[in-house]
């Protein structure tokens, strides 16, 4: 991000430029929204939120599907924007668009069934009450998105918040504002009201959005930044859903399909240049098959193409990430680990070649902290139970994977792993299943996007109890009779005194 205007110049709004991470060439310039601009945007969203909520589920579904259709018909153009801003391949960008629209479609079509008001059994003692539960939108949701998947990840909040009846103000990463502006523009053309707006800017813009009176915040980013956002939300008790980083582990049992495991290790650790919060950063493999697995992973990683024509992956989108990767590799080697592919020389200014590290101590940065690059640590273990214990031994708990041919072993490991999502015999298999909620535990965040839980995440439950007749016992009064008190004393052991 490069500022283009002097922030001290009166009357001149600040702007910044974006660059293509592949070669540093300029892309475009965008305004840095200040407090006044943020307040005006949220005020417009507040007015539009009432109109949007009044449309009801059927009309919102129709409008959201119209928006989806507009995006799908220009998918190549959007993929080009994503590719240029992030440096990822055109193929990866198009896959991102496809997966995202799958979620938008599900949210639009399922919001009514998930959130509609429904009867609730009031119980025997409340036979004179009709009870129901429904879900209502918060109002205005502020979404702060990341740069690694600038369409898929924030749309996990945006799609579900909109389907639930909220207006959304979206503040994208300063590295990928073009994607946000593109999708907000298509929404405006499809709907015609400022129900979804994009605010470009820096961290100050994001802070202003949190403080601008939004009714809920959805944040995706590092655990460290999430804590700062959470502190801002605490000032006004604004609820927050946070999807933070991960240090995701992949476990390979002795009976695993090693070819499939090796394919997914390379895909999960090196796809998108390793810039995937729920990818693969650690592998724990049973020592009985460790040498075979390592050989297969190295053989596949050697075929990875970095940059150039039809690359497997592109540059690091965030330039400063190369320093983090270099530090983690250096620390791993200094503490006794060894590189079986690549090493310190693999880390360039923009691009990072694949790095495979073996026998890295569990207290090293490469094991305990998020690297977010095309590197992977492979350590041997004596059992799946040991692998689970080590996988759980970090502050993170976003995703994990288990490879085994024994279904019972896979289910047991999935239950024991402290993670928000576990895949068995695959990596990222959940990403294209819109009915599955996604989110983390521990330092990887809280709350959920996607699925029915994602729709409820952006809704407030409202309970209604409707008294339709006189109760047999008049208990809800300050003038209860001795007869009523006597009946309560008799009924209590009858209703609750027996353990079943």
């Amino acid at each position: 991000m490069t500022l283009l205007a002097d922030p001290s110049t009166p009357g001149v709004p600040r702007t910044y430029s974006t660059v293509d991470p592949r070669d540093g060439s300029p892309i475009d310039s965008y305004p840095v929204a200040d407090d006044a601009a943020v307040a005006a945007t949220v005020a417009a969203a507040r007015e539009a939120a009432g109109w949007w909520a009044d449309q009801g589920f059927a009309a919102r579904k129709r409008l959201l599907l119209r928006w989806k259709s507009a995006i799908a018909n220009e998918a190549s153009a959007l993929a080009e924007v994503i590719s240029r801003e992030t440096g990822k391949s055109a193929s990866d960008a198009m896959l991102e668009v496809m997966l995202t629209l799958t979620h938008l479609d599900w949210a639009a079509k399922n919001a009514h069934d998930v959130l509609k008001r429904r009867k609730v059994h009031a119980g025997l003692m409340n036979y004179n009450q009709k009870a129901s539960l429904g879900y209502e939108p918060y109002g205005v949701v502020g979404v702060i998105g990341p740069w690694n998947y600038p369409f898929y990840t924030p749309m996990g909040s945006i799609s579900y918040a909109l389907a639930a009846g909220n207006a959304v103000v979206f503040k994208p990463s300063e590295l990928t504002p073009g994607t946000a502006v593109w999708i907000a523009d298509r929404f405006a053309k499809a709907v015609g009201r400022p129900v979804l707006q994009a605010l470009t800017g820096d961290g100050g813009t994001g802070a202003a959005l949190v403080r601008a009176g939004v009714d809920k915040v959805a944040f995706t980013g590092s655990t460290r930044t999430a804590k700062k956002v959470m502190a801002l939300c605490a000032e006004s008790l604004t609820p927050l859903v946070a999807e933070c980083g991960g240090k995701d582990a992949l476990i390979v049992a002795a009976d695993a399909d090693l070819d499939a495991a090796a394919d997914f290790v390379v895909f999960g650790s090196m796809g998108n240049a390793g810039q995937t919060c729920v990818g693969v950063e650690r592998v724990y493999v049973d020592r009985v098959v460790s040498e075979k697995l390592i050989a297969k992973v190295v053989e596949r990683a050697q075929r990875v193409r970095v940059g150039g024509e039809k690359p497997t992956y592109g540059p690091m989108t965030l330039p400063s990430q190369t320093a983090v990767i270099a530090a983690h590799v250096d620390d791993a080697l200094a503490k006794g680990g060894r590189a079986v592919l690549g090493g310190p020389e693999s880390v360039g200014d923009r691009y990072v070649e694949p790095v495979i590290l073996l026998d890295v101590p569990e207290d090293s940065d490469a094991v305990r902290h998020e690297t977010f690059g095309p590197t992977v640590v492979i350590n041997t273990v004596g059992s799946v139970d040991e692998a689970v214990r080590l996988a759980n031994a970090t502050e993170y708990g976003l995703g994990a994977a288990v490879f085994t041919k024994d279904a019972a072993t896979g289910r047991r490991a999935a239950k024991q792993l402290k993670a928000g999502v576990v895949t068995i015999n695959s990596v990222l298999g959940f990403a294209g299943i819109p009915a599955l909620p996604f989110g983390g535990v521990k330092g990887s965040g809280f709350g959920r996007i996607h699925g029915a839980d994602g729709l409820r995440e952006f809704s407030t439950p409202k309970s209604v109890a409707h008294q339709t007749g006189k109760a047999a016992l008049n208990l809800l009064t300050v003038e209860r009779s001795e007869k009523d008190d006597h009946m309560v004393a008799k009924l209590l052991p009858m209703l609750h005194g027996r353990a079943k």
Side-chain angles (χ1 to χ4, degrees):
M1 175 177 175
T2 303
L3 290 174
L4 300 178
D6 184 350
S8 64
T9 305
V12 178
R14 291 195 305 162
T15 60
Y16 69 96
S17 64
T18 56
V19 299
D20 188 326
R22 292 170 291 198
D23 57 15
S25 60
I27 299 175
D28 209 340
S29 62
Y30 298 88
V32 178
D34 58 15
D35 289 3
V38 172
T41 302
V42 172
R46 178 74 57 196
E47 183 175 350
W51 173 84
W52 183 244
D54 288 344
Q55 298 306 296
F57 292 111
R60 289 198 296 269
K61 172 183 174 182
R62 176 176 54 82
L63 292 169
L64 288 172
L65 293 180
R66 180 190 296 174
W67 180 41
K68 184 197 74 167
S69 177
I71 296 172
N73 288 329
E74 296 185 71
S76 295
L78 174 56
E80 172 58 28
V81 175
I82 295 171
S83 179
R84 194 172 184 198
E85 287 192 318
T86 63
K88 67 179 62 178
S89 69
S91 174
D92 283 353
M94 187 63 81
L95 176 61
E96 182 175 345
V97 175
M98 185 191 74
L99 290 174
T100 305
L101 294 187
T102 300
H103 283 275
L104 174 56
D105 182 81
W106 193 94
K109 292 178 178 177
N110 287 274
H112 172 264
D113 288 344
V114 173
L115 303 176
K116 67 181 179 181
R117 182 161 292 277
R118 65 194 72 219
K119 293 180 181 179
V120 176
H121 182 58
L124 179 63
M125 290 295 293
N126 299 297
Y127 71 91
N128 65 322
Q129 297 275 2
K130 287 184 177 180
S132 66
L133 171 65
Y135 294 84
E136 299 180 354
Y138 276 95
V140 178
V141 174
V143 175
I144 301 175
W147 46 262
N148 57 329
Y149 292 94
F151 186 45
Y152 176 82
T153 300
M155 282 288 284
S157 298
I158 294 170
S159 298
Y160 292 80
L162 290 171
N166 301 280
V168 173
V169 178
F170 174 28
K171 191 277 171 186
S173 164
E174 53 266 39
L175 299 178
T176 55
T179 302
V181 170
W182 194 98
I183 62 175
D185 176 72
R186 271 49 178 194
F187 185 92
K189 291 176 180 177
V191 177
R193 299 287 188 105
V195 177
L196 170 63
Q197 302 172 84
L199 269 176
T200 59
D202 54 12
T205 303
L209 176 59
V210 175
R211 287 190 166 120
V214 295
D215 300 295
K216 186 160 189 171
V217 173
F219 169 82
T220 304
S222 70
T223 303
R224 181 182 61 182
T225 304
K227 293 177 180 179
K228 296 178 181 178
V229 173
M230 194 172 181
L232 292 177
C233 287
E235 296 175 3
S236 54
L237 286 181
T238 301
L240 169 71
V241 52
E243 193 264 282
C244 307
K247 192 67 182 177
D248 301 332
L250 184 152
I251 296 170
V252 182
D255 68 341
D257 180 334
L258 298 184
D259 287 312
D263 286 341
F264 277 111
V265 167
V266 174
F267 171 73
S269 64
M270 297 170 190
N272 199 37
Q275 300 168 118
T276 302
C277 58
V278 70
V280 176
E281 296 210 8
R282 297 177 291 156
V283 174
Y284 294 106
V285 55
D286 191 298
R287 63 172 53 92
V288 173
V289 294
S290 60
E291 289 188 10
K292 290 181 179 179
L293 177 77
I294 292 166
K296 290 176 182 293
V297 171
V298 170
E299 186 269 331
R300 286 159 173 79
Q302 287 174 330
R303 298 201 301 263
V304 165
R305 301 181 305 278
V306 182
E309 292 293 326
K310 296 182 178 181
T312 303
Y313 63 77
M316 306 310 298
T317 305
L318 181 65
S320 61
Q321 196 63 29
T322 57
V324 175
I325 298 167
H328 283 197
V329 172
D330 289 343
D331 181 69
L333 297 177
K335 288 181 176 177
R338 57 193 178 94
V340 69
L341 179 68
E345 70 281 2
S346 302
V347 184
D349 292 335
R350 297 185 187 275
Y351 293 85
V352 178
E353 298 283 342
V355 179
I356 299 174
L357 300 167
L358 305 181
D359 305 324
V360 179
E362 293 294 315
D363 63 348
S364 71
D365 290 343
V367 171
R368 302 199 60 80
H369 302 297
E370 191 172 37
T371 306
F372 226 56
T375 70
V376 65
V377 170
I378 304 178
N379 284 346
T380 59
V381 293
S383 66
V384 170
D385 288 339
E386 181 186 359
V388 169
R389 179 180 61 80
L390 294 173
N392 288 338
T394 72
E395 67 172 302
Y396 298 104
L398 191 56
V402 183
F403 282 77
T404 175
K405 292 177 181 177
D406 184 75
T409 298
R411 289 193 299 267
R412 187 179 72 251
K415 183 178 181 180
Q416 294 172 341
L417 284 162
K418 304 301 182 184
V421 60
V422 178
T423 57
I424 300 174
N425 294 332
S426 77
V427 168
L428 293 171
F430 66 89
I433 305 174
L436 281 178
F438 173 67
V441 297
K442 300 193 294 184
S444 291
F446 49 84
R448 293 297 181 266
I449 59 174
H450 302 167
D453 287 310
L455 288 168
R456 295 189 189 103
E457 187 74 53
F458 296 103
S459 308
T460 57
K462 178 175 282 186
S463 302
V464 174
H466 178 193
Q467 182 164 309
T468 58
K470 188 176 180 180
L473 295 178
N474 190 20
L475 302 179
L476 301 182
T477 174
V478 296
E479 298 178 343
R480 283 187 295 273
S481 68
E482 290 185 9
K483 178 182 176 182
D484 289 337
D485 287 339
H486 178 68
M487 287 301 298
V488 168
K490 289 188 67 175
L491 285 170
L492 267 173
M494 293 173 59
L495 294 172
H496 304 293
R498 288 179 293 180
K500 294 183 178 179

